[in-house]
Amino acid sequence: CIMMKLPLSDMAKQVYLSMTVMPAMTQLGIVAKEARADYEFAAMTIAVTTVISMVLIPCYIMLISFLMA
């Protein structure tokens, strides 16, 4: 993993890697509606990424812990 080779503290690596699996920002739907864009697609994207993140975040954190040990 490239991240493990970077000259960062372990905490910085864990934060960065955890942020990569976070769901889409919740304001996306509001911004899409205000911009007269496809806010239904934005809402679906938020919902899907949130559900996926509920599964992936614990797995990812276990992986990070394993790689940093």
Side-chain angles (χ1 to χ4, degrees), residues 1-8 10 13 17 67-68:
C1 181
I2 294 172
M3 178 60 69
M4 299 306 141
K5 305 229 187 273
L6 293 176
L8 299 171
D10 285 345
K13 291 175 187 176
L17 290 171
L67 290 174
M68 297 214 170

Side-chain angles (χ1 to χ4, degrees), residues 17-39:
L17 290 171
S18 297
M19 292 297 293
T20 61
V21 294
M22 292 294 166
M25 67 176 199
T26 54
Q27 296 86 356
L28 179 64
I30 297 167
V31 171
K33 178 130 180 148
E34 291 295 319
R36 301 191 197 292
D38 191 357
Y39 67 90

Side-chain angles (χ1 to χ4, degrees), residues 14-25 49-50 52-54 56-57 60-61:
Q14 289 174 353
V15 169
Y16 180 76
L17 290 171
S18 297
M19 292 297 293
T20 61
V21 294
M22 292 294 166
M25 67 176 199
T49 60
T50 300
I52 291 171
S53 293
M54 291 171 68
L56 285 182
I57 290 173
Y60 213 64
I61 290 176

